[in-house]
Amino acid sequence: MTRKSLAPLAMVAAVALTLSACGSSSTTAAPGTTSSSSSAAPTSSAAPVSSAAPAASSAPSASAGSSAVVPTGASVAVTLITKDSLNPFFIAMQNGAKAAAAKDNVKITIASGKADGDEDGQIQAIENAISRGDKGILITPNGPGVNPAIKKARAAGLYVIALDTPPDPADTVDITFATDNFKAGELIGKWTAAQLAGKPATIALLDLFNDKIVSVDYNRDQGFLSGMGIDVKDKAKNGDEDKTGKYSGGTYTIVCNEPTQGSTDGGKTAMENCLAKNPDINVVYTINEPAAVGADSALKAAGTKGALIVSVDGGCQGVGQVKSGIIGATSQQYPLRMAQLGVDSIATIARGGAKPAVSPGLSFYDTGVALVTDKTAAGVQSITTEAGSKICWG
């Protein structure tokens, strides 16, 4: 397939993503509600690991939505559906979409589930986008329950892009713009193994769910264990690895796989449950930084000292938590970039342009990841909290 750059996407990578970092906004919709806007909101900068925009397929695509190609000067209707509107990661994503919408003459509707895992709220938002005759949808899927609604939207002519969380199967959507979540987990796993320097690892795995399967959950968990040098057997399944054995530096014991729902309260409860099974935990993997904060609270309440907490997200608060020592290392994602590129892509397609293509060797377009820590490890590429704070979000 011939690969060429889409002009609007190149603008995002080269220009729009150099805006100031670590901003905040109070303009997002309340949980479970929608709002419509074409004005900009504060945004942050792009990933340091990549400045390239998604390549395009060589042939122009059919128009998205139920009508003909959008003429020059007319706006394009796009809906962004996040998992919730409370997590700073999704607030940042909403801000990125609003900024791109202002640049691209896009009428953006913001919607979300009431909480991470709320599939019904996302399904209703998809139905609303179809009814409005939107040209496309950007969605961070809350689980496999939204797949039939996504397929319905595509059948109605909407171009659907998943952000952050590739659905299962990946071809449920037209394309996904996301962090390589396995790599994100692998980075913190390698860093952890190096920090242990051969000491036995007593591990708590604080995952996302235990009642549904989403790719971001197993990719980060399994990436972390793989980075530690632990055989994970089925990379698409949490919890089937041997509970004891050897990691790259010594022996390990996995104490627990506990769900957190990606929240601080969930992280605290999950860590308490793990400590009840084994109070000697010295390694804590967390699905995201809110869960890491909850885990730290539980560890402190139990009087446990010296446990390494690692995570994924790289928001401004999370980078600050690495700097203060709450989190040892985190893999930084770039949600604004995901959303901005997504809006640009749908606007381009709706006006008769070409579809974006996946990154070489992957089933999605990789928006980049960087390990943030102030404790370097040999053979593990990382950036400092000072550098991470200049490109963080939230």
Side-chain angles (χ1 to χ4, degrees), residues 3-388:
R3 298 171 64 86
K4 60 183 180 181
S5 298
L6 297 177
L9 297 181
M11 289 177 63
V12 172
V15 181
L17 293 175
T18 61
L19 301 176
S20 62
C22 300
S24 61
S25 172
S26 59
T27 61
T28 57
T33 66
T34 63
S35 67
S36 181
S37 172
S38 60
S39 61
T43 74
S44 72
S45 61
V49 293
S50 175
S51 60
S57 58
S58 58
S61 70
S63 61
S66 57
S67 59
V69 172
V70 174
T72 302
S75 65
V76 174
V78 176
T79 292
L80 168 66
I81 307 169
T82 55
K83 292 182 179 181
D84 63 44
S85 286
L86 300 174
N87 190 317
F89 183 87
F90 300 121
I91 293 173
M93 189 174 281
Q94 292 168 353
N95 290 341
K98 291 174 183 178
K103 177 177 65 67
D104 293 340
N105 191 17
V106 165
K107 182 180 180 182
I108 189 77
T109 298
I110 303 295
S112 74
K114 293 179 181 178
D116 199 332
D118 175 18
E119 294 169 313
D120 290 341
Q122 290 196 322
I123 290 168
Q124 184 59 58
I126 293 169
E127 294 285 354
N128 292 343
I130 296 170
S131 297
R132 281 192 301 270
D134 284 3
K135 291 294 184 180
I137 292 171
L138 308 172
I139 184 169
T140 58
N142 262 332
V146 303
N147 287 3
I150 290 173
K151 293 176 181 178
K152 181 179 178 181
R154 292 180 68 190
L158 283 75
Y159 193 83
V160 182
I161 299 175
L163 304 179
D164 177 57
T165 305
D168 189 8
D171 63 2
T172 300
V173 294
D174 288 287
I175 193 171
T176 296
F177 292 163
T179 306
D180 186 335
N181 283 295
F182 188 89
K183 181 178 180 181
E186 190 175 41
L187 284 169
I188 56 175
K190 288 180 177 179
W191 180 88
T192 300
Q195 298 303 312
L196 288 170
K199 293 188 297 185
T202 306
I203 304 169
L205 299 171
L206 305 193
D207 298 314
L208 189 56
F209 301 124
N210 64 355
D211 60 347
K212 66 184 69 179
I213 298 172
V214 294
S215 60
V216 67
D217 200 358
Y218 62 73
N219 278 330
R220 293 181 188 179
D221 175 296
Q222 300 290 277
F224 167 75
L225 292 173
S226 295
M228 286 279 293
I230 296 171
D231 180 10
V232 297
K233 299 184 179 181
D234 185 348
K235 288 184 178 181
K237 183 178 181 180
N238 285 348
D240 68 338
E241 59 279 340
D242 293 336
K243 300 308 176 189
T244 60
K246 291 185 177 181
Y247 74 96
S248 59
T251 60
Y252 77 86
T253 299
I254 295 176
V255 175
C256 56
N257 284 80
E258 287 287 324
T260 66
Q261 284 73 47
S263 69
T264 299
D265 288 344
K268 184 174 185 293
T269 299
M271 192 70 246
E272 289 170 345
N273 292 339
C274 292
L275 288 169
K277 296 176 182 178
N278 188 328
D280 297 324
I281 291 167
N282 63 351
V283 172
V284 183
Y285 154 83
T286 61
I287 181 71
N288 65 5
E289 289 156 2
V293 172
D296 177 69
S297 175
L299 288 164
K300 286 177 177 175
T304 302
K305 298 180 180 179
L308 288 173
I309 301 176
V310 291
S311 197
V312 178
D313 261 353
C316 294
Q317 288 185 350
V319 173
Q321 288 149 7
V322 174
K323 186 175 181 64
S324 67
I326 292 173
I327 300 172
T330 192
S331 286
Q332 189 171 61
Q333 307 186 88
Y334 305 98
L336 280 91
R337 186 166 194 251
M338 296 176 196
Q340 289 172 328
L341 294 177
V343 170
D344 283 353
S345 292
I346 293 176
T348 297
I349 294 165
R351 295 185 173 112
K355 297 178 182 180
V358 300
S359 297
L362 298 174
S363 61
F364 59 94
Y365 177 77
D366 183 4
T367 54
V369 64
L371 183 71
V372 180
T373 184
D374 288 328
K375 297 179 180 179
T376 59
V380 185
Q381 186 175 2
S382 64
I383 61 175
T384 64
T385 55
E386 181 180 0

